[in-house]
Amino acid sequence: MYKTLISITLLFFLFINGLAQKTIPLDTLHWSINARSYVLEPFKGKDAIYLQAGSITLKDATFLNGTIEYDIFMKETRGFPGVYFRSNNSNAEQFYLRPHQSGNPDANQAIGLINGITAWQLYFGPKYSFSYKYPVDKWMHVKIVVHEDKAQVYLDHADKPNLSWRLFHETKSGGISFTGGGISGMHLANFKINNKVHDIQDFNPGERKPIEGAIAQWEVSDKFEENLLNKENTLKSTIANRKWVEKILLEEGTAANISRKVQLRDDQPGNTVFAKITITADKDETQLFEFGYSDRVVVILNGKPIYKGNNGFRTRDYRYLGTIGLFDAVYLNLKKGKNTLLMAVSENFGGWLVTGRFPNQHKLKIK
């Protein structure tokens, strides 16, 4: 029995190190396949998998630093094929392509899966994506190099990285999986993982202009059902019954990511939290408050609702993405002394977010 265990361990070690040299065979011995449908077949000169609405995960392997490579046969169709790496339950690093946005500034996306949410409504722009005209009806090579807190992507054997970015989680090894193109499906081939090569070159991550004067942190509650906000007689008890999780910090000078502290999809019901600040004024006054949120909000000042809005994907226009920004505003009638501002923020997908500022923060204390 002891010798058998040693043999199994040795074979696994040889397999992992062998990944640095060879293409990983496309079979159910090496991969777990979870998809609406898939076909293992020769395609356009390569041994490939056609993957529709699902993913394939490399069995019994973890990844920390190294190089991930594969080929994808691109089609001009809506989809989000890509790779998850350093996956740990509902957290992972991710890079994916948007074939339907070929040639546009958001043709792809570097992002983190954070407690089950990919917050592209916060992490957008040239810091996390780049314009690229994808080849149509031919194979394209994708290479991702990862080292500690840094990553780079090279498309079609480029000499220099197309994008460099800092990763979203603490450095921790995890699993690797690849996704197809959604309902339309994509062909993938030539998967290679090299744990020994992880050289970062010309690392030059993009920058983002912060929101000047944005509130630095919010106290966030446990989650609850959104429909409890609909009736005034249940609002008071909903507020009173909350447990306050902890404070969430502004990221990139732009917004606080609620999913850093609260998990949307788990065994507890609810899709809404309160994000809270306390405003101390030295007199009764009216102050303009500019804010942003995703996806929906009810603004409550000193226990009374004063505003309701929807900033979700495609809610304001069929092309509207629901990205975060100071797109809404309300005048707050502040009383002298302490005022409690609650933002009841509800989420579907794309980012559970809140941000805000007082353009004339004259003599206000915010905590």
Side-chain angles (χ1 to χ4, degrees):
M1 179 66 180
Y2 181 71
K3 290 182 178 179
T4 301
L5 287 173
I6 292 176
S7 298
I8 293 172
T9 302
L10 179 60
L11 286 172
F12 178 71
F13 176 80
L14 291 173
F15 165 68
I16 293 299
N17 282 274
L19 297 183
Q21 305 299 327
K22 298 179 181 179
T23 299
I24 304 169
L26 274 168
D27 55 39
T28 54
L29 176 65
H30 295 88
W31 300 92
S32 295
I33 304 174
N34 182 13
R36 175 176 294 186
S37 65
Y38 72 93
V39 179
L40 299 173
E41 61 179 354
F43 183 78
K44 303 291 184 179
K46 300 180 186 291
D47 291 331
I49 180 170
Y50 178 77
L51 191 62
Q52 183 185 44
S55 64
I56 59 172
T57 302
L58 189 59
K59 289 183 178 180
D60 301 321
T62 59
F63 178 85
L64 180 64
N65 295 320
T67 302
I68 303 167
E69 297 184 71
Y70 66 103
D71 294 330
I72 181 169
F73 193 88
M74 302 294 287
K75 298 188 295 184
E76 287 185 318
T77 184
R78 182 177 176 82
F80 308 91
V83 56
Y84 292 90
F85 56 96
R86 293 184 179 173
S87 298
N88 289 279
N89 299 318
S90 56
N91 293 297
E93 306 292 347
Q94 185 182 8
F95 177 79
Y96 62 86
L97 307 170
R98 295 185 177 105
H100 55 293
Q101 297 293 350
S102 178
N104 290 336
D106 57 346
N108 39 69
Q109 179 78 57
I111 201 164
L113 178 68
I114 301 171
N115 276 328
I117 294 179
T118 51
W120 49 266
Q121 290 170 327
L122 170 58
Y123 309 112
F124 63 89
K127 189 172 180 179
Y128 300 108
S129 60
F130 58 94
S131 177
Y132 199 88
K133 187 68 175 178
Y134 299 125
V136 179
D137 293 331
K138 63 179 291 188
W139 289 103
M140 184 180 77
H141 187 70
V142 180
K143 181 174 77 171
I144 300 170
V145 182
V146 179
H147 180 75
E148 300 302 326
D149 65 339
K150 301 178 181 69
Q152 296 179 311
V153 64
Y154 298 75
L155 297 186
D156 260 348
H157 305 282
D159 294 329
K160 295 183 179 180
N162 298 101
L163 182 70
S164 300
W165 73 99
R166 294 196 180 274
L167 298 173
F168 295 84
H169 297 282
E170 293 182 0
T171 302
K172 182 180 179 181
S173 62
I176 299 179
S177 60
F178 299 82
T179 58
I183 300 300
S184 61
M186 293 278 180
H187 279 90
L188 307 172
N190 288 349
F191 298 98
K192 296 180 182 179
I193 313 295
N194 190 331
N195 293 307
K196 296 181 179 179
V197 176
H198 42 85
D199 296 329
I200 298 293
Q201 300 179 6
D202 299 322
F203 188 74
N204 186 25
E207 296 182 358
R208 184 174 188 173
K209 185 178 179 180
I211 295 175
E212 185 177 353
I215 293 167
Q217 61 182 17
W218 298 77
E219 192 173 3
V220 66
S221 76
D222 59 342
K223 64 182 181 178
F224 57 93
E225 295 285 3
E226 185 177 4
N227 58 18
L228 293 176
L229 300 168
N230 295 337
K231 297 180 180 178
E232 191 171 351
N233 61 349
T234 63
L235 182 59
K236 186 176 180 180
S237 61
T238 300
I239 295 172
N241 291 335
R242 299 280 54 83
K243 296 177 181 178
W244 294 92
V245 180
E246 54 186 307
K247 292 185 177 180
I248 50 174
L249 303 178
L250 191 73
E251 294 192 26
E252 302 188 338
T254 303
N257 186 351
I258 294 167
S259 61
R260 290 281 188 188
K261 301 298 182 182
V262 184
Q263 186 156 355
L264 178 64
R265 297 177 181 89
D266 58 12
D267 56 357
Q268 299 298 318
N271 68 331
T272 305
V273 299
F274 288 124
K276 179 173 71 174
I277 57 172
T278 301
I279 308 154
T280 303
D282 62 1
K283 62 179 180 179
D284 292 349
E285 61 180 304
T286 300
Q287 279 276 359
L288 177 64
F289 178 62
E290 300 173 334
F291 60 94
Y293 56 92
S294 179
D295 287 323
R296 294 172 300 283
V297 75
V298 175
V299 181
I300 303 162
L301 179 64
N302 296 326
K304 294 187 177 181
I306 58 173
Y307 181 95
K308 183 177 182 179
N310 191 339
N311 188 52
F313 178 66
R314 290 182 174 176
T315 55
R316 303 185 182 192
D317 182 272
Y318 74 95
R319 295 162 297 184
Y320 186 68
L321 298 177
T323 48
I324 195 74
L326 299 178
F327 304 138
D328 295 69
V330 64
Y331 286 95
L332 301 181
N333 294 318
L334 302 175
K335 64 182 183 181
K336 182 179 179 179
K338 291 185 177 180
N339 299 263
T340 300
L341 180 67
L342 299 177
M343 308 283 282
V345 187
S346 305
E347 168 67 355
N348 283 356
F349 78 105
W352 205 354
L353 311 167
V354 64
T355 192
R357 72 174 178 186
F358 290 90
N360 302 306
Q361 197 175 323
H362 181 63
K363 294 184 179 180
L364 294 179
K365 293 181 181 179
I366 301 169
K367 184 178 179 181

